[in-house]
């Protein structure tokens, strides 16, 4: 059995539980964590005893998103990332400028959409940005009623890496989440159809287990065919091409003059200050109930990302 | 400089040349070869010196197709069920497809330099390349449709249109490089002794362009293909091949191969089709006298 540093892997009968395990970082998706996750998903796919895979988060959150606090790098020698790029290797590590969105989309796609077994996201606490992409690519989402699900980076950084909202929400709501980055609660997520069901957080693990065991009543190959047929319908509707096109647009959005401002504030004054700059005027997340006007940084000019062209 | 066993890999003047290198087997695509090809494609993609990849074959052929004689792929660390169940079959077909799709998914253009036989699995590779240039006397076709399955990759319809796709896939007949150029299956055909020079010259022109721009323009055409369903069609093609493997004729082919050897099975499959040339006149197309 593989040894993991950033996730836990447990088996209970036909269910494989993969627990994102960086609770002190709200399970921020570092490259090593993502690499371990890809590896564990393959293990579960190959294990003939497993019918269903559950992804969940340790501590207060499912995941607050990709690790933008400098924790992206994998420890040297980590077997879970490509030796040249330090990124999870699913064939393409998508090197080159502005390829982040393509890379993370490809990773989620190969590891979860293409997995032969159904994957359930068990979502509680914060599920933000990259966390929503991970949960969305899963087959099912079962959520705590008070979970906070949203994509705040669209307020100041880039568009969504994986443009999932049009596939799960009515158009008006899809636009609201994609433009504003405002969060929905777990209860709202179930109402709109993003989540299969929302339950009080205390009941979440038992509900997920009940749901997973119902799936496991069906033979694994049958589940594989059902997943395959539904996947293919969405592929024919263009989901993969839309994700690819969305990733190209994400790269464009990063090139706009304002695209580098968040990063420069974070670099100079710290991530907390950058998050306050981004979210303060909206009065949510860290500034919940106490909106703070957007601070001016005369020393930081809108000039695009360093080294990424005009 | 090549760290590969079944292919040759070299980089020179902005070009990565990947040469399928099992000439004694007409470059039959074994699993190790397919895996090495995938690694070499990504290696070229990550190498900032490389603008364009040339894919070609050593010896007498580009590739005569999948290796029908090699050992079945297995994983040593877990018990595998072999290839008996249909979902195992699909799994193996899709595993190979993921590796092959690097040609389509990578940033840099790939030119196929096709000479001699380009049959069955050889076409799965060549037709996925961004541009195919063939020798006039190359032989291109998918004879396994006669008794073994369907192409697990499908660019045929996109390249030569539905009628020619059906003409070739409903008979297993082949076209020469010159004929393939006529129907759009390949970009152009040149005399065999000019093939390498033609391909290198085209690649040299791409070497004058920033790889990031090559990548953007490759992606634009790829997205156009995707909007026509080409990516999803690849998925469906693998599934359809698995379904085709269940045909009684395939069981019969496998029985002959098992009892009398692969050569006898291929003879049983192909002899009645004569030389199998799609452009042959009607009176030449029947069974041999």
């Amino acid at each position: 059995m593989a040894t993991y540093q950033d996730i836990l892997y447990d088996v209970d009968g036909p269910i494989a539980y993969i627990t994102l395990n960086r609770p002190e970082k709200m399970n921020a998706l570092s490259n090593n964590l993502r690499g371990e996750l890809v590896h564990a998903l393959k293990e579960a796919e190959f294990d003939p005893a497993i019918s269903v895979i559950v992804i969940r988060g340790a501590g207060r959150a499912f995941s607050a998103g990709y690790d933008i606090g400098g924790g992206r790098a994998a420890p040297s020698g980590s077997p879970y990332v490509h030796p040249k790029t330090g990124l999870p290797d699913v064939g393409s590590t998508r090197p080159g400028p502005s390829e982040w969105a393509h890379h993370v989309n490809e990773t989620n796609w190969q590891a979860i959409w293409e997995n032969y077994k159904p994957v359930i996201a068990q979502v509680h606490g914060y599920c933000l940005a990259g966390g929503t992409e991970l949960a969305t690519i899963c087959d099912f989402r079962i959520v705590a009623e008070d979970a906070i699900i949203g994509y705040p980076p669209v307020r100041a950084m880039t568009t969504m890496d994986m443009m999932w909202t049009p596939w799960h929400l009515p158009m008006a709501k899809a636009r609201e989440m994609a433009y504003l980055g405002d969060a929905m609660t777990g209860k709202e997520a179930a109402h709109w159809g993003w989540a299969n069901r929302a339950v009080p957080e205390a009941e979440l693990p038992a509900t997920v287990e009940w749901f997973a065991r119902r799936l496991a009543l069906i033979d694994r190959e049958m589940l594989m065919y059902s997943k395959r047929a539904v996947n293919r319908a969405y592929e024919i509707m263009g989901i993969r091409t839309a994700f690819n096109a969305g990733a190209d647009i994400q790269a464009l959005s990063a090139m706009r003059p304002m695209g580098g401002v968040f990063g420069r504030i974070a670099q100079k004054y710290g991530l907390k200050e950058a998050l306050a700059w981004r979210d303060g005027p909206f009065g949510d997340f860290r500034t919940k109930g106490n909106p703070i006007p957007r601070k001016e940084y005369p020393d930081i000019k809108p000039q695009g990302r360093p080294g990424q062209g005009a | 400089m090549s760290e590969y066993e079944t292919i040759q890999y070299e980089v020179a003047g902005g070009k990565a040349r990947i040469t399928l290198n099992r000439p004694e087997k007409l470059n039959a695509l074994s699993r190790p070869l397919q895996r090495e090809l995938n690694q070499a494609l990504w290696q070229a993609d990550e190498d900032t010196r490389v603008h364009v990849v040339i894919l070609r074959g050593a010896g007498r052929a580009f590739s005569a197709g999948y290796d029908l004689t090699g050992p079945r792929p297995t994983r040593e660390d877990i018990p595998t069920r072999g290839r008996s169940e249909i979902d195992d079959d699909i799994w193996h077909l899709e595993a190979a497809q993921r590796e092959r799709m690097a040609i389509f998914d990578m940033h840099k253009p790939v030119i196929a330099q096709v000479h001699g036989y380009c049959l069955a699995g050889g076409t799965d590779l060549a037709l996925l390349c961004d541009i195919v240039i063939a020798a006039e006397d190359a032989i291109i076709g998918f004879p396994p449709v006669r008794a073994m399955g369907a192409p697990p990759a499908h660019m045929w319809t996109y390249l030569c249109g539905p009628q020619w796709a059906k003409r070739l896939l409903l008979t297993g007949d082949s076209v020469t490089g010159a004929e393939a150029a006529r129907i759009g299956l390949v970009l152009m055909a040149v005399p065999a002794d000019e093939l390498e020079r033609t391909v290198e010259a085209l690649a040299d022109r791409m070497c004058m362009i920033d790889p990031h721009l090559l990548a953007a323009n490759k992606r634009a055409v790829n997205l156009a293909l995707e909007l026509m369903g080409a990516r999803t069609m690849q998925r469906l093609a693998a599934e359809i091949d698995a379904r085709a493997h269940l045909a009684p004729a395939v069981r019969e082919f496998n029985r002959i191969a098992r009892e009398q050897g692969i050569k006898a099975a291929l003879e049983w499959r192909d002899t009645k089709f004569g030389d199998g040339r799609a452009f042959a006149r009607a009176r030449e197309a029947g069974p041999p006298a």
Side-chain angles (χ1 to χ4, degrees):
Chain A
M1 179 53 74
T3 45
Y4 300 121
Q5 170 189 312
D6 293 331
I7 62 169
L8 304 171
Y9 184 84
D10 300 290
V11 169
D12 180 9
I15 311 170
Y17 286 99
I18 302 173
T19 310
L20 313 178
N21 193 29
R22 299 178 75 206
E24 74 292 354
K25 296 278 185 194
M26 301 274 233
N27 300 320
L29 304 170
S30 66
N31 289 333
N32 191 65
L33 183 150
R34 293 189 304 114
E36 292 184 358
L37 180 59
V38 169
H39 187 274
L41 283 157
K42 279 282 158 220
E43 286 300 304
E45 185 180 36
F46 274 115
D47 185 342
I50 296 299
S51 292
V52 186
I53 303 164
V54 174
I55 301 178
R56 60 188 181 181
R60 292 193 294 129
F62 177 75
S63 171
Y66 297 114
D67 195 335
I68 53 177
R72 269 186 187 176
S76 77
S78 167
Y80 303 109
V81 297
H82 190 281
K84 278 186 189 148
T85 59
L87 297 170
D89 184 4
V90 289
S92 169
T93 51
R94 298 277 182 188
S98 307
E99 296 285 2
W100 175 255
H102 274 291
H103 161 70
V104 291
N105 284 357
E106 192 70 9
T107 307
N108 282 339
W109 186 276
Q110 296 295 353
I112 299 176
W113 184 276
E114 297 282 13
N115 200 296
Y116 274 32
K117 296 178 180 174
V119 184
I120 304 171
Q122 172 180 325
V123 175
H124 76 293
Y126 284 118
C127 174
L128 300 178
T132 69
E133 293 170 356
L134 176 59
T136 299
I137 201 78
C138 294
D139 299 86
F140 305 101
R141 282 151 295 287
I142 298 178
V143 303
E145 285 174 349
D146 58 355
I148 302 289
I149 300 142
Y151 212 107
V154 301
R155 291 169 173 173
M157 296 156 73
T158 67
T159 60
M160 297 165 64
D161 299 309
M162 190 182 94
M163 183 46 75
W164 59 261
T165 64
W167 295 94
H168 285 264
L169 303 170
M171 195 191 288
K173 194 69 191 169
R175 290 182 187 276
E176 187 182 320
M177 288 202 71
Y179 295 8
L180 270 174
D182 286 352
M184 56 184 173
T185 63
K187 209 169 177 178
E188 288 166 333
H191 169 77
W192 291 115
W194 182 79
N196 294 75
R197 58 191 72 219
V199 296
E201 188 174 329
E203 295 169 24
L204 183 61
T207 309
V208 169
E209 186 183 346
W210 166 80
F211 192 89
R213 289 197 185 276
R214 281 181 76 78
L215 281 168
L217 296 175
I218 298 164
D219 74 83
R220 284 186 297 98
E221 293 186 16
M222 187 64 209
L223 287 176
M224 186 269 283
Y225 284 116
S226 294
K227 175 168 184 169
R228 182 174 290 270
V230 177
N231 276 7
R232 219 58 84 232
Y234 282 100
E235 286 167 37
I236 289 166
M237 287 189 264
I239 191 169
R240 186 156 196 206
T241 307
F243 285 167
N244 277 345
D248 284 334
I249 292 168
Q250 189 272 353
L252 288 181
S253 74
M255 306 285 189
R256 77 198 192 286
M258 283 294 288
V261 169
F262 179 93
R264 286 204 188 79
I265 296 173
Q267 218 165 34
K268 206 161 172 183
Y269 300 102
L271 182 60
K272 276 190 181 155
E273 181 126 353
L275 290 170
W277 173 79
R278 186 188 78 184
D279 298 329
F282 293 89
D284 52 10
F285 303 118
R286 285 162 187 275
T287 55
K288 192 170 170 66
N290 299 300
I292 46 173
R294 183 156 284 163
K295 200 169 149 186
E296 298 290 329
Y297 290 92
D299 53 327
I300 291 174
K301 300 274 182 286
Q303 55 183 41
R305 279 186 180 172
Q308 294 219 330
Chain B
M1 73 172 279
S2 189
E3 63 262 52
Y4 300 107
E5 287 174 10
T6 59
I7 61 172
Q8 285 176 350
Y9 180 83
E10 57 175 17
V11 173
K15 298 170 281 192
R17 297 189 191 92
I18 301 176
T19 310
L20 310 177
N21 194 29
R22 303 179 72 209
E24 74 289 357
K25 298 276 182 193
L26 295 176
N27 301 319
L29 306 173
S30 62
R31 288 298 298 137
L33 183 146
Q34 294 173 63
R35 215 164 294 136
E36 289 194 344
L37 173 60
N38 175 273
Q39 287 162 8
L41 289 164
W42 290 119
Q43 183 178 346
D45 209 43
E46 289 176 9
D47 186 335
T48 51
R49 297 168 300 175
V50 173
H51 291 240
V52 53
V53 175
I54 296 169
L55 181 61
R56 59 190 193 176
R60 292 193 293 127
F62 177 78
S63 170
Y66 294 108
D67 193 332
L68 302 173
T69 60
R72 297 290 191 214
T74 53
R75 258 182 64 145
E76 283 147 19
D77 54 336
I78 49 148
T80 50
R81 295 180 297 180
R83 203 165 183 163
S84 52
E85 306 296 339
I86 184 170
D87 71 319
D88 299 317
D89 190 20
I90 298 178
W91 198 93
H92 289 297
L93 287 167
E94 293 193 332
Q97 176 162 86
R98 272 198 288 277
E99 290 172 356
R100 188 163 61 230
M101 285 300 284
I103 296 171
F104 189 84
D105 286 335
M106 62 190 286
H107 295 81
K108 295 166 185 176
V110 183
I111 304 174
Q113 173 181 324
V114 171
H115 76 292
Y117 287 117
C118 176
L119 298 175
T123 64
D124 289 339
L125 283 187
L127 300 183
L128 208 50
C129 292
D130 298 283
I131 287 175
V132 190
I133 298 182
E136 286 172 349
D137 58 357
I139 303 288
I140 302 168
F142 208 98
V145 297
R146 293 167 179 168
M148 294 171 73
H154 187 98
M155 291 301 290
W156 299 84
T157 303
Y158 298 97
L159 293 170
C160 63
Q163 290 206 71
W164 268 110
K166 287 176 178 165
R167 172 66 184 85
L168 298 175
L169 298 180
L170 298 179
T171 59
D173 288 345
S174 56
V175 287
T176 64
E179 292 157 355
R182 233 170 92 187
I183 65 173
L185 195 58
V186 305
L187 177 76
M188 61 190 293
V190 296
D193 59 359
E194 292 173 25
L195 178 63
E196 181 170 355
R197 203 150 44 88
T198 308
V199 169
E200 294 282 335
L202 177 63
D204 286 336
R205 294 183 72 75
M206 294 183 190
C207 288
M208 297 188 284
I209 296 175
D210 181 343
H212 295 107
L213 292 177
L214 294 174
N217 284 299
K218 169 167 174 164
R219 185 169 287 166
V221 181
N222 278 8
L223 275 172
L225 280 165
E226 286 189 33
L227 290 168
M228 290 188 267
R231 177 184 291 280
T232 305
M233 188 56 222
Q234 304 315 307
R235 308 301 314 278
L236 297 170
E239 284 162 7
I240 290 166
D241 188 19
R243 183 183 143 186
H245 288 167
L246 302 177
V250 179
R251 284 202 297 275
E252 179 64 7
F253 179 91
N254 289 337
R255 186 190 62 78
I256 298 172
R258 205 167 45 243
E259 289 170 9
Q260 303 168 41
I262 189 75
K263 245 189 180 142
L266 289 172
E267 263 168 38
W268 172 78
R269 182 189 82 180
D270 291 330
T271 304
K272 52 188 173 287
F273 287 91
D275 69 359
R277 296 282 305 281
F279 272 81
R281 282 161 297 172
R283 65 185 158 79
E284 295 172 352

